[in-house]
Amino acid sequence: MSLAVVFSRARHGLDAPLVTVEVHISNGLPAFQLVGLPETSVKESRDRVRSAMVNSGFAFPDRKITVNLAPADLPKEGGRFDLPIALGIIVASGQLAEKSLQGYEFCGELALSGEIRSIVGEIPVAIACRDAGREVVLPMLNAQQAQQVPKVVVHGAEHLLQVHSFLLAQQPLPAIPALPVREQQHTPDLADVKGQAHAKRVLEIAAAGEHNLLMLGPAGTGKSMLAQRLPGIMPPLTEQEALATAAIYSIAGLKRNLTDWQQRPFRSPHHTSSAVALVGGGSVPRPGEISLSHHGILFLDELPEFPRKVLDVLREPLETGVVHISRAARQAEFPAQFQLVAALNPSPTGHHQDGRATPEQVMRYLNRLSGPFIDRIELQIEVPLLPKGMLSQHTQEESSASVRERVLAARQLQLARQGKANARLSGSEIADFCPLQQADARFLEDTIHRFKLSARTYHKIIKVARSIADLQQQAQISRAHLMEALSYRALERLLSYLKN
């Protein structure tokens, strides 16, 4: 027949919308017309497809070929449509029966030799094909990653001829190799950090409830070491969380192997990073560092060295857990449910009382952090210098494994009670799952008014107190839990003292 229909998938944020590749061959002067809002990389597929078919031994029709990528109002980019276009021409020219395409979707870029090259975004494609009830044929490298998606049939191909023989039922496609298992890297242990019992306690609370954490202290007190050990005491990713994380990495062109499949991401961008690097963007929107930290940790070291405008773009994602990117021709939404961990020094010289920085320089340095940004961080602590003799002592510090047991127990309580971590509770859910006794509620409200804190801080203190109670396996939030949570909101007073 002269008309063929092949199913493929486009890339639109984390979604993979269906694209119907319609190929029509008609009489007329030889021509190859591609319509359906294709970008330059898609238009160039005409030459790739022609050479790939000829070099693979197929007859390229010397007639008028029209290829429509529907829907017409969806922008198409990349080389992912090369394989379905080639198969559509093969079917429309009578070199393959159309019924052999039923139940399949195809994505892949063709080399001039007919080899199939990898694409970006195989995880969303596999998820969409599973939901549509179809099998998917992908380049072999993409099929390795996509086979981690449950309940979907994935086929991997390396050459156009392999796909043709598979659709003719002449021979099966090659077996998909298992994902490489990288040697397990040494996970930094909390026992490596000497002293700092107070900071370790706060780190445990942050891990238990997924609370944001800010550490202020002189250089060399262990702030970065503590942040790097946070993933080692957090619960592993669930299958659903691991799949969501893998989908984001997939559209960013990054891969996750079996070793880190259930490990929480830990991203530590340099302080010269721009707002677009953190949030995401581009003419074709791509995820930024905060989306790559989804279900993981975003560590910002030397926090005041980041431009203030860059830090302020984090305020909305910290509250909503999503990022909306709008461009002239594209809009995209990426998940950004990350846990922020930040560290800063009390002055631009690293120490407050070393005499090398004037009060004006210290104030200018600390004023780079806006009040609304600090207000969104639940846990704010000071990490002091170690007392004399602590470094030379050979004391046995608590390991990450033992701390992780308590964190897991607290997280299981939260999941059984509300189905999410305490930091993710909404205002109405706080009333349902974090009730306070009347006297304690009045005490907390009086404290909030006395220190002129915001209503957002009121709710964040309750959520931190809920995590403290969960670590102690207590069902009711007590006055002691509230007072401890209040003690971790001391940064405003610290900053006020340092500025004076």
Side-chain angles (χ1 to χ4, degrees), residues 194-196 384-393:
K194 288 186 174 293
Q196 304 296 3
L385 289 169
L386 291 176
K388 184 178 180 180
M390 177 66 73
L391 288 174
S392 59
Q393 290 182 3

Side-chain angles (χ1 to χ4, degrees), residues 188 193 215 220-230 266 268 299-302 341-343 383:
V193 183
M215 295 176 284
T221 55
K223 302 184 297 296
S224 298
M225 289 183 66
L226 288 165
Q228 292 164 1
R229 282 147 181 80
L230 180 57
F266 183 88
S268 181
F299 177 50
L300 302 183
D301 201 3
E302 307 296 343
V341 179
V383 184

Side-chain angles (χ1 to χ4, degrees), residues 241-416:
E241 291 173 340
L243 193 59
T245 301
I248 297 172
Y249 275 65
S250 173
I251 63 174
L254 305 174
K255 307 297 181 185
R256 287 174 67 83
N257 56 38
L258 286 179
T259 304
D260 54 16
W261 183 257
Q262 289 191 302
Q263 287 184 356
R264 294 191 177 269
F266 183 88
R267 307 289 298 185
S268 181
H270 194 261
H271 61 258
T272 56
S273 300
S274 65
V276 172
L278 287 182
V279 177
S283 56
V284 178
R286 291 170 56 89
E289 288 291 339
I290 62 175
S291 293
L292 293 173
S293 305
H294 185 54
H295 292 311
I297 296 100
L298 177 68
F299 177 50
L300 302 183
D301 201 3
E302 307 296 343
L303 187 65
E305 299 298 336
F306 286 84
R308 181 166 177 167
K309 291 183 178 180
V310 172
L311 294 178
D312 283 344
V313 301
L314 300 179
R315 286 157 50 179
E316 183 180 354
L318 280 171
E319 291 293 320
T320 62
V322 295
V323 173
H324 301 276
I325 299 175
S326 295
R327 296 294 182 264
R330 295 282 187 96
Q331 292 79 38
E333 179 180 297
F334 297 111
Q337 189 172 298
F338 63 98
Q339 185 174 356
L340 176 64
V341 179
L344 71 155
N345 299 323
S347 77
T349 61
H351 298 265
H352 177 57
Q353 297 178 341
D354 58 3
R356 292 185 294 165
T358 65
E360 291 77 13
Q361 290 175 323
V362 173
M363 290 182 63
R364 189 162 52 248
Y365 175 76
L366 296 176
N367 279 333
R368 297 177 185 176
L369 308 178
S370 67
F373 174 75
I374 295 295
D375 193 40
R376 285 166 167 80
I377 302 178
E378 297 99 310
L379 300 169
Q380 308 165 6
I381 61 168
E382 184 179 11
V383 184
L385 289 169
L386 291 176
K388 184 178 180 180
M390 177 66 73
L391 288 174
S392 59
Q393 290 182 3
H394 297 284
T395 56
Q396 183 64 39
E397 302 287 347
E398 189 175 20
S399 67
S400 294
S402 60
V403 176
R404 191 183 192 190
E405 290 180 2
R406 297 194 296 269
V407 170
L408 287 173
R411 187 64 66 87
Q412 288 171 359
L413 281 178
Q414 297 167 35
L415 295 178

Side-chain angles (χ1 to χ4, degrees), residues 411-426:
R411 187 64 66 87
Q412 288 171 359
L413 281 178
Q414 297 167 35
L415 295 178
R417 182 178 60 240
Q418 66 225 14
K420 62 177 71 172
N422 289 329
R424 310 303 170 190
L425 292 174
S426 64

